[in-house]
Amino acid sequence: MDLKKLLVVLCALVGLACGAGSSAAREEPAASRAPVAQPAPVQRPQPAQGAVELGETVDLKAGDTTEVASKDVSIRFARLVSDSRCAAGMVCVWEGEAVVELTLAEPGRGERTTAALASIGRGGRQSVEFAACRVDLVAVSSGGDQVTLRVSKA
């Protein structure tokens, strides 16, 4: 990873840690820069979309929540943080990546955390462990409004 990309990722993570929620833009000429999708609007949590078993995948739209069967754990797709993926029909040197924010909770213990997961893992992690569960980001829709997650035992 080159230094410029590392700095962009670090700036994005610092922004998240400070609660700014903004993403850093790469310094490129405007003509070669792929359009960046705007973060999904903040939505109220929706009721659970059913339970997902360990070892299964689940699709969540922005604001949707699912429960992990046999665990006191819920997973919410909070929002799209940034999306620098190459737009359809464009030729790009770098494929780009989408970063999403998940909120994981264990209501019985009052535990809650947020995690930013990256679609390709160059600039960030692709999975998070919480309450003996591992959540892997499998895919992000082209519009950034839906994610596919795999939930397994940590």
Side-chain angles (χ1 to χ4, degrees), residues 78-143:
R79 66 189 180 106
L80 176 69
V81 175
S82 65
D83 191 349
S84 63
R85 294 175 295 173
C86 191
M90 296 199 56
V91 177
C92 301
V93 176
W94 183 58
E95 64 184 308
E97 72 180 353
V99 177
V100 299
E101 181 180 289
L102 302 178
T103 302
L104 300 111
E106 191 177 15
R109 297 186 63 201
E111 299 288 328
R112 165 172 262 153
T113 190
T114 59
L117 300 183
S119 62
I120 61 172
R122 283 188 183 174
R125 60 186 177 169
Q126 289 181 287
S127 66
V128 61
E129 291 185 10
F130 178 79
C133 292
R134 177 185 169 113
V135 179
D136 294 291
L137 179 61
V138 176
V140 180
S141 68
S142 60

